[in-house]
Amino acid sequence: MLKFNLKESFLAICHYIGADIVSEDIETLTQDGQDFDLRSLEKAAAYCGLNVLKSRRDLIDLSEDDLPCILQLKKKHFMIVTEIREGECFVTSRKHNIGIWMPVARLANVYSGIIYRFSDQKEKASLTRSLMPSWFQEQMKELWPHYTQVLLATFMVNLLTLALPLFTNMVFDKLIPTFATDTLLTISLGMLGVVAFDFTLRWLRSFFVDDACRIIEKRSEQFILGRLVQLKQSELPDSPGKITHAIENFAKVKEFLSGTVLLSLLDVPFFLLFTLVIGLIGGVMVMVPLVIAACLIPITIFSYRRSREQANQLTKVNNAKSTFLYEVSSELEAIKTLGAGRKALARWRGLVTNSASASLMSKQSNVLLNTVVASATQCVVIGMLVLGVYQIHSGNISPGSLFACIILGSRAIAPLMNLAMAVNRLSFSLKSLREINELLGLSGEDDGHDKINVPTLRGFIEFDKVSYRYSASESEVLKDINLKIEPGERVAILGASGSGKSTLIRMLQGLVEPSEGNILIDGQNLCHLNLDHYRSHCAIAPQKPSVFSGTLKSNLMLGKSSVSTERLDEACHVAGIDSFVRQCSRGYAHRVLERGENLSGGQRQALCLARALLRRSRLTILDEPTSAYDNYTETLFCERLPGMMQENQTLILITHRMNLLQLVDRIIVMAEGRIIADDSRNRVLDELSQSSAASTM
């Protein structure tokens, strides 16, 4: 078992996250003869710009947010965990690419229950940025004029609220004893004007908030999708369902910013104004709302903490539901044909049960809080009446003052009541915003400011000692690849399934980065190029066709602003989809359903192939372009493609079909992540035939 002391574990964590520190640096941070304890760990972490948090956590509750972390074992041993999966943790050594998967049950026997988590100091130093990401904060700043109007309207609304209790006080103390009906009529008309003005201000305030929320919604969702497109493919979560759920949860943020929730929070500071007026009118009567407020505040804090925990749990179970639902909806046909409906339903039943339980706990907490808040209003009235009786009997206040204090007391406590109910939504909104920010905070393809533009592309490609692994715990998929492709070459890459062909192509597209080595395009490192510019010179027909809802033409012209009908016809003719276009009554305007559900597998592949050929790029990559074709259509494609390809166009072909090899001059053969043959087409085919003949003898 990979067990270390605390200092060795911290050095392993630093090595994993890339922090610049060595053992000698730690020695200078600790006193002579002093053990490397928690205080020393905090100093060392601060030296690396990190914060360390010691907490108790069950192994089954570990999440991706906790990683990497140090587990404290019994007998003062420690262990480093960098990855988790169902029922297992990846325990790593000082070299983070070496480690083993260990069952949680085995670790539980030696685990003490304490973990050490690490985070960037910049994240902790700025609470505002963690609660309100910079991209969201900028949009709020741009809408400051809207919120200035909201604040002004809120101030005026709360000032006008004072008119009713003052009117009540005057009626009971001045007008009823004297029966001054003329004065009563005049003041009543004035109060009607106050009510009308108050109505107008409240309507305008709600309009300004909703209008600001509309603008934030529009800009934020555009930014979210724009940023999502720019994220590195290797950084994205494994499940598209998690991405969808995180973006859908932005609705909770919008709900918080609009309507009564935000307005309730804006009314909270006016509690002091109302209690001050109660003190001026009723003296000791001000103690009633103050006591109720003192009771509500700790309840609100407790409710917020509890709702935050429930928000984490509810988000977790809902993520699991969204992921499974995405899988089922995407592979519904396979589930039916395999007869796996009952098994899928059983798993769904378990997910729904967990979700319903978490939702019930959250709702019950809200109901309990709402009940307490409603009782607080009644307690204010009861307390005011009881205390008011004694005050009136003592001659300290008049009956009119008592009624005015009751109205003001109810109004004073209302913002705190709304605040107590708003904190539950606040916890869910912050959780949603944090989840979205974690997604958008992943590394982007063009985050660097020194990316090199690619105005033209010659097509010279070089792989220099390139290796790749999906994660530190997995073996290498590509191993020490050295490869050069000259501009205008026609190259085929052959190999069994899992030999690394598609990974090689994905690296060439800039979708994943090498673990070791470099990929050079026209002498420039691919990592330093502006990938948008680079990809504009490339045409890709992927192994798995990507078809979107719209029309045939909109799918063909993805990434293109305009193209002539003649070029469309030519690309479709070569790809073999021209006959289908002619059969459609609307031609290129034929409607395509989501994921091309109304097209056959061959039609989807031909559509993507025609899309790639339409670009006429300097670099054309075809990954199993005819795997769904019949032999006749494949033969036509082989006859037509050379007439469309220009001499300066580089062609890289991934295939298992021998018929397609007539399109290339050079063949590269891969096996187990390595290049085992690279020569002219005829020589490689001769070697392969000889090897096949030898193996059959």
Side-chain angles (χ1 to χ4, degrees), residues 242-277:
K242 291 183 179 179
I243 300 175
T244 304
H245 183 72
I247 296 176
E248 286 176 347
N249 276 349
F250 187 67
K252 295 178 180 178
V253 181
K254 296 184 293 185
E255 179 186 358
F256 180 80
L257 290 176
S258 63
T260 57
V261 180
L262 181 61
L263 298 179
S264 299
L265 293 178
L266 294 178
D267 286 336
V268 171
F270 293 96
F271 168 79
L272 300 176
L273 172 65
F274 297 131
T275 52
L276 176 62
V277 176

Side-chain angles (χ1 to χ4, degrees), residues 9 36 49 109 135 179 268 281 325 340-341 344 376 413 438 449 510 538 560 567 576 592 605 645:
S9 300
F36 191 83
N109 296 327
W135 59 270
F179 197 63
V268 171
I281 295 176
L325 188 60
I413 210 69
E438 288 175 358
H449 299 292
C538 302
K560 299 282 290 184
R567 289 185 58 183
V592 177
Q605 188 169 57
M645 295 287 293

Side-chain angles (χ1 to χ4, degrees), residues 278-279 281-290 384 387-388 391 396-397:
I278 293 173
I281 295 176
V284 73
M285 300 288 290
V286 75
M287 294 302 298
V288 176
L290 289 177
M384 286 284 191
L387 185 57
Q391 291 296 305
N396 294 330
I397 62 173

